[in-house]
Amino acid sequence: MPVAIPRSRPPLAAVRRWYEDELRWPTTGTEPVELLTGVRFDALDLPADAGLAVLGRVGRTGPVAIDRSGAAGPRMLMLVAAGTAEKLAELLEWLEWGSLGLDLTARGAGDRMPAPSPPPHAPGPYGAGPREAAGWVRPPEPGYEVEAGLPTTGTGAGRGGRGVPLADRQGRAPDLVRLVSAAATECHRARLLRSRGARRQTDRGYGDQPFAFSNASRISAGTRPRSLTL
């Protein structure tokens, strides 16, 4: 009886070397390889379904990975400027999402994330195996300082991304406030849709309009998120 031979997985030493030598990102000495957050970048952590919806709304982001290692289901990890994790709670409060208990967190100093296999454009024997714990949805772009394209706030935010010359990209990146706003909105929407599917709850009087944006939802939540108007 023929035995299926799995595809080769990327050598751990080669994966670690690509992140440390090519991107200058610190990694752990563990197996599988993990990236240390809070040093060169932080990562917004949200459910994969909400993350995919965010990518459909936000044309430009930093690198984005998917983490399949959790028992609760896949998670989307959106790389953002280092220090974001410390500001996230305050930012959600300012956007009037603070009281809802969203499934939206950030990995920052002292945390880590699985290291996806290097993208296809990376030189070396990095073939992806069939059971990779993580993969790149939007991989790091080669040829420039990755941190210059991470979502941030302040002067120049929102002016980075593909097609912008390297000299103009330094210090400019997608706006963090808008990204967090979109992430919070989609996390709330995904939670309500999952709950609605489980309980077959219908928002009567608003037809097919998602419950996330109904008056009943706003009343029960006790807030009308400012993020909906950004």
Side-chain angles (χ1 to χ4, degrees):
M1 183 176 179
V3 178
I5 301 177
R7 289 179 295 167
S8 61
R9 297 171 67 82
L12 295 177
V15 172
R16 182 176 291 109
R17 185 166 56 251
W18 187 79
Y19 282 108
E20 293 182 347
D21 295 348
E22 298 297 325
L23 297 182
R24 307 297 182 184
W25 290 357
T27 66
T28 64
T30 59
E31 297 183 8
V33 181
E34 294 180 299
L35 305 175
L36 295 176
T37 56
V39 181
R40 304 296 298 272
F41 58 85
D42 288 355
L44 293 182
D45 185 333
L46 64 161
D49 56 352
L52 288 173
V54 172
L55 296 185
R57 292 181 54 183
V58 181
R60 182 174 58 246
T61 67
V64 179
I66 187 166
D67 179 7
R68 309 181 189 90
S69 62
R75 309 284 299 181
M76 197 76 80
L77 300 173
M78 299 184 170
L79 271 57
V80 291
T84 297
E86 300 176 2
K87 305 173 185 175
L88 182 59
E90 182 179 355
L91 185 54
L92 289 172
E93 188 68 30
W94 182 80
L95 290 168
E96 299 183 8
W97 286 108
S99 62
L100 271 69
L102 299 172
D103 189 8
L104 173 62
T105 59
R107 306 188 190 189
D111 294 327
R112 58 187 65 186
M113 61 175 278
S117 294
H121 59 66
Y126 300 122
R131 296 180 300 279
E132 293 292 338
W136 285 115
V137 178
R138 293 182 177 178
E141 292 184 42
Y144 79 98
E145 188 74 8
V146 174
E147 286 75 9
L150 295 181
T152 186
T153 56
T155 303
R159 299 177 62 183
R162 294 179 184 271
V164 179
L166 172 61
D168 294 336
R169 259 195 285 198
Q170 301 297 334
R172 299 177 178 138
D175 182 58
L176 178 64
V177 174
R178 290 188 177 275
L179 180 61
V180 171
S181 172
T185 299
E186 295 303 337
C187 283
H188 185 50
R189 182 201 298 268
R191 181 177 64 178
L192 289 173
L193 290 177
R194 287 192 294 266
S195 175
R196 185 180 182 182
R199 300 193 305 265
R200 298 188 179 277
Q201 184 176 17
T202 302
D203 186 18
R204 303 183 189 278
Y206 282 84
D208 295 330
Q209 184 182 20
F211 185 67
F213 299 99
S214 67
N215 284 335
S217 174
R218 293 168 180 172
I219 293 172
S220 64
T223 181
R224 181 182 186 279
R226 181 185 295 130
S227 58
L228 298 180
T229 63
L230 287 179

